[in-house]
Amino acid sequence: MQEHSGQRRARPWRLSSLAMLLPLALSSTAQTPTLPAPLPAVGGTTGQVSSAAAQRWRAAPAPYQSPTKPLPYRTALNPAQVRPVAPGFDVAAFEALANDLTVGQRVPGLAMAIVQDGRVISARGYGVTDVRNPQPINAHTVFRLASLSKAFAGTITGLLVNDGVLRWDSKVADYVPSFQLIDPVATGQVTVADVLSHRTGLRWHNAFDRDIEANADYYSVSQKLATAPLGCKPGQCYEYQNVAFSLVGDVVFAATGSFYDQAVDRRIFKPLGMNDASIGLAGIEHSPSWARPHVRARSGWASLQPKPTYYRLAPAAGVNASASDMAQWLLAHLGHRPDVLPAPLLATLHAPLISTPGEMRAGWRGARVDSASYALAWRVLDYSGQQVVFHAGAVEGYRGLVAMVPGRDFGVAILWNSTSPLPSGLLPTVLDTALGLPPQQWLHTELGKQLLLAQTNGHPLPQTLQMAGNDDAAADDEPGASSGEAVAAPH
C-alpha cells in the first residue's frame, strides 16, 4: 500500500502522557461513536449530485440498532460463564481432515490453528508450498491473509483510541485532507468507525477495486472516491469496501507519524509473538517459508507469483501470517493477552454495529446463521444461538477463514494457497463439533464422510440435511470484486 505523505495533521484529542496511563481514559475514548446528525442541504463543490439522488440517500432508513452496545468497562467473560467444547471434540480428527484436503492435490497446501481455553491445541501445516518446487508446509509457513487483514487495522486503531491519540468518532477528513466524497457535508461526517465498519455511505460495493486490479496506485484510486455515488448518510448503511477501508492507514500515519506497517509491527506483531507475520509483498517473499498462490490449470494446479495489487491496500488486505501467528492472534482476541489487547477494547471491537443480512445465504451460513452483523473490522454471527466472531478473505491463489466463539473460549483459523472452495467446509465442521450441534456434511471428502458417519453412529443424514450440506462452499469466502477473479474482500 502506498502511504499518502501529506502534511501531518494536528492531534485534536491527544491526552497528556499521564492521562494516557489512566484507565479512566477509556470512558472518554473507547465509546462507539454516535451516528452523525442529519445532513443539511447538498453543497456544490467537488462532484455534484442531483437533487433526486440526494433525496434518495438522505432518506435512508434509520440505522440498525445493535442489540449489544459496546461498553467501555465490559469485562471478559467470567470463567464460570465459559462453557467447554462439546464432548467428543477430537483435535486429531480435524488435523486428519486438514491433511486429507491436500491428498491428491485437492489443494496444494493448508495451515490450521485451533485454540481453546487459553491454549494452542493445534498449529500445523499440511501439503506443499509450491507444486513446482514442493517444500512441506509447517506451522511457520506464511500465507497471505487477504481480508483477514482488516481485523489488524481495527485493532491498531483501537489501540490508538486507548492511547487517547484517536477517538472512534474522529473525522477522517481531519486527518486526511485529500479525502473527499461526492458531497462535502458527507465528507465531513465520515468517522474512523464508519470506515472500519463499511458505513461510509458509498453505494458501490468494493468501489474502484477494478482500478486496483489494473495495477493503479492507492493514492490515485482513493481520490476517485469523490466521484462515487452515495447510498445513504455516512454511518447508516453497509457496503463492503477495500479502497475506502484503507483510509484508516492514512489516519494512523497522520495521528502517529508512523507508517501503518510499522505501527502494526510494533504494537501487534512483536508484542503478541507473531514472529512470522509481516505486511506487504516484500514481507512474504522474504519469509524463510512461504506458500505460493495456485490457480487451476489443465494439468492441475499452477503456482504463480503473488500479485502486488491488493498489497497496496495494506489495511484491507496486506498482512501475511503463519498458523503459529494465527494461534497467537486468536488467543489475544479471546482475551488471553490483556497486556496487549485489554478486555474493554475487545468488547468494543467485537460488538455489532450494523446488520448484514446478506451474509445469511446458501451453504453453512444459510443453514447455521440466524443473524449477521458487522462490527469494527469483524463480522459477528449468531451461529445457531452462539456468538461467533468471524471473517473470510480471498485474493488470487489464497483463501482464509477465521472464527472465534468467545462463549466457549474457542477459535480456529484456516489458510490455504489455492482458489479451491473445498476447505471452506472444514470451518463449520469444526464449529459444529465444538458446539455440539447436529452434524451436517459440509466437507465433501471421503474422510469427511467417515467422520460424519462416526458422529451419527453410522446412520445416514436425513435428505434435507444432505441437501443443505451440498451447497457450493465457494460462497463462504466470497470474492467481492466486480470481476470474476478472487480478490481481497468478501461481500
Side-chain angles (χ1 to χ4, degrees), residues 42 55 95 141 149 179 215 246 370 394 397 405 408 427 432 438 477:
V42 175
Q55 290 176 2
E95 291 175 338
T141 299
S149 305
F179 167 61
N215 217 30
S246 296
D370 298 319
V405 189
R408 300 276 185 154
L427 182 80
D432 283 3
D477 39 2

Side-chain angles (χ1 to χ4, degrees), residues 95-162:
E95 291 175 338
L97 286 175
N99 185 68
D100 187 54
L101 286 168
T102 69
V103 172
Q105 291 188 357
R106 289 190 178 101
V107 297
L110 182 145
M112 181 172 67
I114 302 176
V115 303
Q116 205 275 320
D117 196 22
R119 297 178 299 112
V120 179
I121 60 176
S122 182
R124 295 181 57 186
Y126 311 86
V128 297
T129 59
D130 185 348
V131 294
R132 290 185 299 181
N133 180 28
Q135 300 296 321
I137 290 176
N138 59 46
H140 298 285
T141 299
V142 173
F143 291 72
R144 283 188 78 166
L145 296 192
S147 278
L148 305 187
S149 305
K150 289 182 170 66
F152 292 86
T155 301
I156 188 63
T157 305
L159 289 170
L160 296 179
V161 170
N162 275 7

Side-chain angles (χ1 to χ4, degrees), residues 9-29:
R9 302 286 293 180
R11 306 177 186 179
W13 290 289
R14 178 176 290 281
L15 303 177
S16 70
S17 58
L18 176 61
M20 287 167 61
L21 298 175
L22 294 175
L24 186 60
L26 281 172
S27 66
S28 62
T29 61

Side-chain angles (χ1 to χ4, degrees), residues 396-412:
E396 185 179 47
Y398 296 96
R399 287 191 170 191
L401 299 166
V402 170
M404 297 176 291
V405 189
R408 300 276 185 154
D409 199 358
F410 179 84
V412 57

Side-chain angles (χ1 to χ4, degrees), residues 161-399:
V161 170
N162 275 7
D163 291 346
V165 174
L166 287 172
R167 290 176 59 101
W168 292 119
D169 56 0
S170 294
K171 302 300 190 290
V172 172
D174 288 340
Y175 293 84
V176 189
S178 61
F179 167 61
Q180 287 188 343
L181 295 177
I182 199 168
D183 179 80
V185 178
T187 301
Q189 294 290 342
V190 176
T191 68
V192 169
D194 292 336
V195 167
L196 291 170
S197 56
H198 305 291
R199 299 178 300 162
T200 56
L202 292 169
R203 182 188 306 167
W204 291 342
H205 169 75
N206 280 346
F208 305 111
D209 273 20
R210 279 186 178 274
D211 297 78
I212 297 298
E213 291 175 21
N215 217 30
D217 69 277
Y218 160 72
Y219 178 74
S220 298
V221 176
S222 67
Q223 303 307 296
K224 298 179 73 171
L225 294 172
T227 67
L230 296 173
C232 70
K233 304 171 188 178
Q236 293 197 4
C237 66
Y238 166 88
E239 201 63 66
Y240 197 91
Q241 304 294 331
N242 284 313
V243 175
F245 185 95
S246 296
L247 290 165
V248 75
D250 301 318
V251 172
V252 169
F253 175 76
T256 67
S258 294
F259 289 108
Y260 176 79
D261 57 344
Q262 296 171 335
V264 173
D265 184 68
R266 185 175 65 253
R267 297 296 300 273
I268 298 176
F269 293 164
K270 283 186 169 59
L272 292 183
M274 298 179 66
N275 298 322
D276 307 315
S278 62
I279 292 179
L281 179 60
I284 194 170
E285 290 183 334
H286 289 123
S287 299
S289 174
W290 61 281
R292 273 65 173 176
H294 291 77
V295 296
R296 289 287 185 188
R298 290 184 179 180
S299 58
W301 291 110
S303 63
L304 308 171
Q305 285 298 112
K307 288 185 176 180
T309 50
Y310 282 96
Y311 275 127
R312 297 189 178 113
L313 306 180
V319 176
N320 315 298
S322 66
S324 174
D325 295 326
M326 295 307 289
Q328 298 308 312
W329 181 237
L330 291 168
L331 288 174
H333 267 274
L334 285 167
H336 294 285
R337 289 300 306 273
D339 56 317
V340 182
L341 304 184
L345 173 59
L346 295 179
T348 300
L349 293 174
H350 299 166
L353 291 175
I354 191 161
S355 180
T356 57
E359 295 304 303
M360 300 156 56
R361 52 178 183 271
W364 62 267
R365 297 191 207 182
R368 290 294 193 220
V369 176
D370 298 319
S371 69
S373 304
Y374 208 90
L376 291 166
W378 285 103
R379 296 192 184 281
V380 182
L381 310 177
D382 180 335
Y383 190 96
S384 295
Q386 293 275 341
Q387 185 193 63
V388 172
V389 180
F390 168 82
H391 219 290
V395 291
E396 185 179 47
Y398 296 96
R399 287 191 170 191

Side-chain angles (χ1 to χ4, degrees), residues 409-444:
D409 199 358
F410 179 84
V412 57
I414 305 168
L415 312 171
W416 63 103
N417 61 337
S418 76
T419 54
S420 171
L422 183 61
S424 299
L426 184 56
L427 182 80
T429 302
V430 172
L431 287 178
D432 283 3
T433 309
L435 300 178
L437 297 175
Q440 293 196 28
Q441 187 174 344
W442 307 119
L443 193 58
H444 295 279

